[in-house]
Amino acid sequence: MAIRISEVKSSRLSDDRKEVIVGGSGKYIGDVELKIARECVDDFIDALVSARSTLGSTLAVAVPGAGSAMVPKRNARSGGNQNEVRFEVPKTFAVTADTEGRGLVLLILNHRLENQEGYALSPDAAKQVAEGLTKSADALLADRDSQ
């Protein structure tokens, strides 16, 4: 039997540290807690990330000491045009390995500022981003130096 979760309210580690407990609610079921066994957490996250990529939405990850557990994602599109993307130059950023054992690399833009946002990347994706950033920066620097 499938249940529909319409709101995620919290997440925490069980007292015995063997389960991750995700609290939420649904229209017909009220408040509910999902208990995910520690050994299944990575598979659960992988399934959600895979589903998210199909939906085109974003992932919010709890970062210890970074405020609330779930950060709503602002619409990155400019107006209603599907071909436009709004860009913002961050004032600060932080990159760190996830300390909760999920095997993710965390990129936090405007780190410790009111408008901070984060992205969770697999190690392979993080390497691809780093490589792309380095190649683009090198090309811009070479172009600037040739002028």
Side-chain angles (χ1 to χ4, degrees):
M1 183 173 104
I3 61 171
R4 174 181 236 146
I5 306 295
S6 58
E7 179 183 11
V8 175
K9 296 180 178 180
S10 65
S11 65
R12 68 181 190 283
L13 198 56
S14 65
D15 292 339
D16 62 4
R17 303 182 64 81
K18 292 184 179 181
E19 298 173 317
V20 172
I21 302 168
V22 179
S25 66
K27 184 174 182 179
Y28 300 108
I29 60 170
D31 289 341
V32 65
E33 284 187 343
L34 301 175
K35 294 182 178 183
I36 299 108
R38 182 183 197 127
E39 56 273 7
C40 296
V41 169
D42 288 337
D43 292 335
F44 189 76
I45 291 170
D46 288 344
L48 292 173
V49 168
S50 177
R52 181 208 52 193
S53 67
T54 304
L55 296 171
S57 63
T58 61
L59 173 68
V61 174
V63 179
S68 64
M70 297 299 284
V71 178
K73 179 68 179 157
R74 292 192 310 249
N75 184 357
R77 301 243 180 243
S78 173
N81 187 340
Q82 292 286 329
N83 296 319
E84 290 183 19
V85 178
R86 183 179 56 81
F87 290 93
E88 189 175 315
V89 177
K91 291 182 177 146
T92 64
F93 66 91
V95 178
T96 185
D98 178 25
T99 60
E100 299 296 317
R102 293 175 285 224
L104 298 170
V105 176
L106 306 177
L107 170 62
I108 306 166
L109 303 175
N110 292 322
H111 178 59
R112 295 187 180 190
L113 297 176
E114 186 176 308
N115 61 335
Q116 77 179 3
E117 291 188 54
Y119 297 90
L121 305 168
S122 70
D124 289 336
K127 283 185 171 189
Q128 288 176 352
V129 169
E131 185 178 308
L133 288 169
T134 300
K135 284 181 180 179
S136 295
D138 288 345
L140 287 172
L141 290 172
D143 185 50
R144 183 182 72 186
D145 291 343
S146 69
Q147 293 178 0

